[in-house]
Amino acid sequence: MSDRDTDQREQHDRTEAGADLTLTSITKRFGAFTAVDDLDLVVEQGRFFALLGPSGCGKTTTLRMVAGLEEPTSGRIEIAGRDISRLKPYKRPVNTVFQSYALFPHLDISENVAFGLRRRGVRDVKRQVGEMLELVELGGYGKRRPAQLSGGQQQRVALARALINRPQVLLLDEPLGALDLKLRRQMQIELKRIQTEVGITFVHVTHDQEEAMTMADTIAVMNQGVIEQMGAPHELYDSPATTFVSNFLGQSNLVRAEVVARDGERVVVDAFGSKLVAPTGRARRTEGKVWVGVRPEKVFLARAGSETGDDSNVLGAGTVSDVSFIGVSTQYLVAMPWGQELTVFEQNSGARDGFRVGDQVDLHWSAAHTFLLDADQDAHAGDESYAAMAGASAS
Amino acid sequence: MSIAQAGVTTEGLTGPEPAPPVRRRSKAGYLLLLPGMLWLVVFFLVPTIQLMATSLYDPNGSLETGYTMTGSISNYWTALSTFQAPFLRSLLYAGIATLLALLLAYPLAYAIAFKAGRWKNAMLVLVIAPFFTSFLVRTLAWKSILSDNGFIVSTLKDLHVLPPDGRLLATSVAVITGLTYNFVPFMVLPLYASLEKIDLRLVEASKDLYADGFTSFRKVTLPLSMPGLVAGTLLTFIPAAGDYINAELLGTPQQYMIGNVIDNLFLVQLDYPIAASCSVILMLAIVAMVLVYVRRAGTEELL
Ligand SMILES: Nc1ncnc2c1ncn2[C@@H]1O[C@H](COP(=O)(O)OP(=O)(O)OP(=O)(O)O)[C@@H](O)[C@H]1O
Ligand SMILES: [Mg+2]
């Protein structure tokens, strides 16, 4: 018992130290190719931090540099103010849950989980392993071999094997990637529960934006070796900083416009003859050419010419070009006079009849939900369905 | 478990498929086994039985007078007591040669598997290159390498490792060197095959879990290469224990191994019953040792 108290006190001391993970100007080149480009990142102690980005953007490389399995070309990595950039992996207070799990096939589950403790000569391994297996709900599986477990069970062993060492930072490289959707959702909840329970900093790499949003306190969206934006999930969603983030995290309607007026709180733009208003706090650019953005579920459809509220933004004279029923909602595509198609999600509340292809409609939404982005950026950056379509038509 | 088994049984009895796929596959399996089985029966089982029978013939018979089957177990006592020394020498020489071959082959196989990069295939070819010439010629070559006025002996004398009148040829050193040299490739190849299969991410995982380079090798790489290590040591030890060429060419009768004794009994003395007894003893000794060894190495799950 007293053993356990010291354990916990040690644990407590460590957490009190404010063990932030800091990456400063981290660059990694493979030959001429730059996988991670001058990256700065601070992960606060005790956070569930998600590194989100498309395939090949450098997430794994970043994680491997933190773990010490890859050496940065330049830059510094610190934990709790201590520079660990040149430390060997086995000297870092960091453990990893690998994408492939990498469980030792020649050891049983208990010995897999005990591996780190045994290397450090910790006493009382058996009890700790037992407790850890209970935590991941695998009590009684200790004598099995990894090959005798299901994918989800192996995933939990990989988690237990890393977590039992009480690292200052736990790195998770798409640990749920190999699981089917249902198990993935279940494990997301599980992971979140365990993180809250143990209070260790989790850095979770994923390319599933839904996963990042449901689990993380803070998300960093990464693209081509740089971080595009970092913040709480709802911040990123409501106020994206770049076209990439606006498309990669959910969907966005982006319409070309020009700033015509601005005061302290609002920026007024002109989009194809319509005056639209955005809060200054959501404007990444307040002069010249901009993208006016709004999320599809924030937009309402109305019969052409009908009345709308005072603080509404309105884009008129659209024609419904496609209607897809998705159960809880209906997705409309509306062709605008300038040739662009905008997307609208409408809840199937049953309060009114839907629209049909060919109907003339106005789009309106609250000014508060409007954001402005730099018009120099590609409107389709990060839009996976667009990329897929472009790819398909090209081939 | 029981439900699944019951399911299988009822399916086999009442299922609409007359021939369940499992049974069809096993029939094909037996068919494929047939040539190998035949080969084994003709070239292994029959000669072994013949050998065992011969080992029990009346030792007073000869080729001219013919042999009678007297069930003379005493042949074994004669063989063991007369040729105790060559028996022990065989096991000792083969054991030392296997150990040396392992020490040479492991680093080599490791380097080929993990460090050779694009030279991997070239190095593998070099490992088997000696097989392009005959075993006999290669062993004869060692005779001149280790000869009294050869480079190695004179260098060792200069270094005072060997006394002025010392020699290598016709010593147990020469025989063990020859055995080691001849069987190293049989150690390298299975070791390489085992090492090459190891997922390097497991090594990374061990480093992530506080194992330094050496510990990582001891706890991950080495255990995962055990199947190759066991196969390699068996492929070296078994033929080395029965070898007679190396002792014949590089040694003197003082270094003769049981292979030389059997060779002599069969071909010179024409004492078939004792020769056969020696062969059977060697065979049983090796089988017993291999069984114990494989058990101890605990590689059943890995093989
Ligand atoms: N050892 C290496 N040598 C050369 N290029 C590499 C190496 N490792 C990674 N890269 C390149 O660096 C880029 C980033 O790779 P990384 O594995 O970090 O991507 P990722 O974001 O984890 O992608 P995914 O989601 O597909 O796992 C990729 O373009 C990859 O081809
Ligand atoms: Mg990756």
Side-chain angles (χ1 to χ4, degrees):
Chain A
M1 260 298 118
S2 67
D3 235 46
R4 191 166 178 181
D5 291 347
T6 21
D7 253 28
Q8 277 175 353
R9 210 167 31 245
E10 267 175 30
Q11 189 55 36
H12 190 65
D13 287 349
R14 262 201 239 164
T15 43
E16 282 304 282
D20 293 359
L21 167 67
T22 316
L23 277 64
T24 315
S25 328
I26 285 291
T27 299
K28 177 68 190 179
R29 285 192 202 92
F30 294 108
F33 177 77
T34 307
V36 175
D37 194 2
D38 198 22
L39 184 108
D40 289 303
L41 193 63
V42 178
V43 181
E44 281 171 43
Q45 155 73 36
R47 287 301 172 100
F48 199 121
F49 185 93
L51 200 53
L52 175 68
S55 185
C57 73
K59 306 181 296 288
T60 296
T61 307
T62 307
L63 224 56
R64 286 172 61 82
M65 286 191 286
V66 176
L69 299 172
E70 207 84 69
E71 200 180 327
T73 311
S74 64
R76 275 163 72 82
I77 300 171
E78 287 165 36
I79 291 182
R82 189 163 72 107
D83 187 354
I84 60 162
S85 322
R86 308 290 160 208
L87 282 186
K88 297 270 190 223
Y90 52 87
K91 296 215 165 132
R92 299 190 184 199
V94 166
N95 290 106
T96 310
V97 179
F98 292 88
Q99 193 161 5
S100 56
Y101 311 153
L103 299 179
F104 303 120
H106 59 296
L107 301 177
D108 65 19
I109 300 308
S110 294
E111 281 308 308
N112 262 282
V113 175
F115 197 92
L117 296 183
R118 294 215 190 281
R119 299 291 79 72
R120 288 185 303 161
V122 171
R123 285 175 301 118
D124 187 26
V125 171
K126 221 175 179 156
R127 182 186 58 81
Q128 290 195 45
V129 169
E131 282 179 9
M132 190 46 75
L133 286 178
E134 287 301 327
L135 180 71
V136 297
E137 288 165 1
L138 283 177
Y141 284 82
K143 287 280 154 275
R144 295 221 202 161
R145 294 282 170 132
Q148 296 168 317
L149 298 187
S150 74
Q153 289 168 336
Q154 291 183 25
Q155 196 279 328
R156 281 179 277 165
V157 176
L159 178 66
R161 186 179 69 171
L163 209 51
I164 197 167
N165 303 295
R166 305 268 161 185
Q168 288 177 329
V169 178
L170 185 74
L171 307 172
L172 303 106
D173 191 357
E174 301 201 33
L176 310 180
L179 307 180
D180 64 44
L181 192 66
K182 187 153 169 270
L183 194 53
R184 194 150 78 218
R185 294 280 170 264
Q186 204 177 316
M187 286 304 302
Q188 285 170 3
I189 296 166
E190 196 79 334
L191 263 183
K192 183 73 191 170
R193 170 182 73 80
I194 291 171
Q195 196 266 340
T196 320
E197 219 167 298
V198 298
I200 289 173
T201 314
F202 275 34
V203 178
H204 181 103
V205 158
T206 177
H207 60 242
D208 178 347
Q209 43 119 349
E210 211 171 305
E211 184 172 303
M213 288 203 278
T214 49
M215 298 172 82
D217 312 315
T218 312
I219 299 178
V221 178
M222 199 169 171
N223 184 30
Q224 295 184 349
V226 300
I227 287 180
E228 297 249 342
Q229 191 179 2
M230 197 165 108
H234 66 89
E235 274 172 44
L236 298 203
Y237 190 80
D238 291 340
S239 185
T242 62
T243 55
F244 179 85
V245 175
S246 77
N247 291 321
F248 192 75
L249 219 59
Q251 284 184 43
S252 290
N253 292 304
L254 296 177
V255 177
R256 206 166 261 293
E258 185 143 12
V259 175
V260 289
R262 79 192 119 108
D263 57 35
E265 289 162 30
R266 327 173 319 149
V267 181
V268 182
V269 301
D270 175 288
F272 299 100
S274 303
K275 291 275 176 296
L276 304 175
V277 178
T280 312
R282 294 196 178 175
R284 297 289 159 174
R285 200 183 156 104
T286 52
E287 55 184 20
K289 293 202 184 310
V290 292
W291 293 112
V292 188
V294 63
R295 298 288 185 182
E297 73 279 7
K298 301 278 171 23
V299 183
F300 296 95
L301 290 180
R303 302 255 167 238
S306 46
E307 282 293 310
T308 52
D310 274 351
D311 62 345
S312 273
N313 283 330
V314 181
L315 282 175
T319 311
V320 175
S321 61
D322 187 65
V323 181
S324 350
F325 178 72
I326 318 179
V328 293
S329 66
T330 302
Q331 176 181 336
Y332 295 98
L333 285 183
V334 181
M336 302 312 288
W338 57 90
Q340 188 180 7
E341 271 188 334
L342 299 181
T343 310
V344 178
F345 297 152
E346 201 153 85
Q347 287 289 317
N348 288 326
S349 60
R352 62 174 188 176
D353 289 341
F355 295 88
R356 266 174 296 189
V357 173
D359 286 355
Q360 297 292 311
V361 290
D362 291 342
L363 286 68
H364 63 99
W365 67 92
S366 161
H369 294 142
T370 315
F371 52 85
L372 301 183
L373 300 174
D374 188 342
D376 293 341
Q377 294 170 356
D378 176 8
H380 295 294
D383 184 344
E384 281 167 332
S385 59
Y386 180 81
M389 252 160 56
S393 61
S395 61
Chain B
M1 192 68 175
S2 64
I3 295 170
Q5 277 168 350
V8 168
T9 341
T10 47
E11 214 173 76
L13 290 173
T14 61
E17 289 273 343
V22 176
R23 213 192 285 162
R24 215 186 302 154
R25 191 170 56 208
S26 65
K27 249 184 208 161
Y30 285 131
L31 219 71
L32 286 171
L33 271 178
L34 201 63
M37 295 292 259
L38 262 173
W39 195 89
L40 274 179
V41 166
V42 173
F43 293 103
F44 177 73
L45 198 60
V46 171
T48 305
I49 291 169
Q50 178 59 44
L51 185 73
M52 294 204 166
T54 309
S55 75
L56 297 172
Y57 285 165
D58 178 6
N60 297 317
S62 69
L63 270 187
E64 292 88 55
T65 59
Y67 288 104
T68 45
M69 182 60 179
T70 52
S72 318
I73 307 255
S74 64
N75 288 346
Y76 284 93
W77 300 123
T78 315
L80 264 179
S81 52
T82 322
F83 304 114
Q84 197 184 10
F87 264 122
L88 292 179
R89 204 178 289 132
S90 288
L91 298 182
L92 182 71
Y93 284 6
I96 295 174
T98 305
L99 201 68
L100 291 175
L102 179 62
L103 292 178
L104 286 172
Y106 205 106
L108 180 58
Y110 188 92
I112 297 175
F114 299 128
K115 310 283 178 200
R118 62 205 175 89
W119 297 104
K120 196 182 259 190
N121 287 332
M123 289 182 75
L124 282 175
V125 170
L126 286 179
V127 167
I128 53 167
F131 293 133
F132 294 135
T133 57
S134 118
F135 183 68
L136 218 57
V137 171
R138 281 181 280 132
T139 311
L140 279 170
W142 274 94
K143 203 167 177 159
S144 66
I145 294 174
L146 298 176
S147 66
D148 293 342
N149 41 20
F151 166 76
I152 292 184
V153 168
S154 55
T155 309
L156 288 179
K157 279 179 184 168
D158 290 347
L159 294 171
H160 300 286
V161 177
L162 274 179
D165 59 344
R167 50 186 315 210
L168 285 179
L169 203 60
T171 65
S172 29
V173 174
V175 179
I176 292 170
T177 306
L179 285 171
T180 308
Y181 161 77
N182 275 309
F183 292 106
V184 153
F186 296 100
M187 187 72 93
V188 174
L189 293 178
L191 270 175
Y192 163 78
S194 249
L195 285 167
E196 211 252 354
K197 271 202 310 237
I198 294 178
D199 185 348
L200 286 179
R201 289 175 298 188
L202 296 176
V203 177
E204 285 189 341
S206 74
K207 299 229 166 113
D208 188 63
L209 293 164
Y210 313 105
D212 57 29
F214 179 66
T215 314
S216 172
F217 172 77
R218 210 161 46 87
K219 291 293 173 185
V220 178
T221 312
L222 184 60
L224 289 176
S225 67
M226 274 317 268
L229 196 146
V230 170
T233 44
L234 292 182
L235 283 177
T236 305
F237 182 81
I238 297 172
D243 181 80
Y244 64 98
I245 298 283
N246 285 282
E248 174 91 41
L249 298 182
L250 304 174
T252 65
Q254 261 78 58
Q255 282 80 40
Y256 273 6
M257 297 165 70
I258 196 64
N260 304 88
V261 170
I262 296 170
D263 171 57
N264 188 293
L265 287 172
F266 261 120
L267 301 179
V268 181
Q269 319 256 348
L270 303 180
D271 189 349
Y272 288 9
I274 303 296
S277 302
C278 285
S279 303
V280 172
I281 291 169
L282 179 66
M283 201 166 76
L284 292 180
I286 286 176
V287 167
M289 288 169 76
V290 165
L291 282 182
V292 171
Y293 174 60
V294 172
R295 275 278 164 76
R296 292 291 293 279
T299 49
E300 293 98 331
E301 306 103 330
L302 286 171
L303 283 172

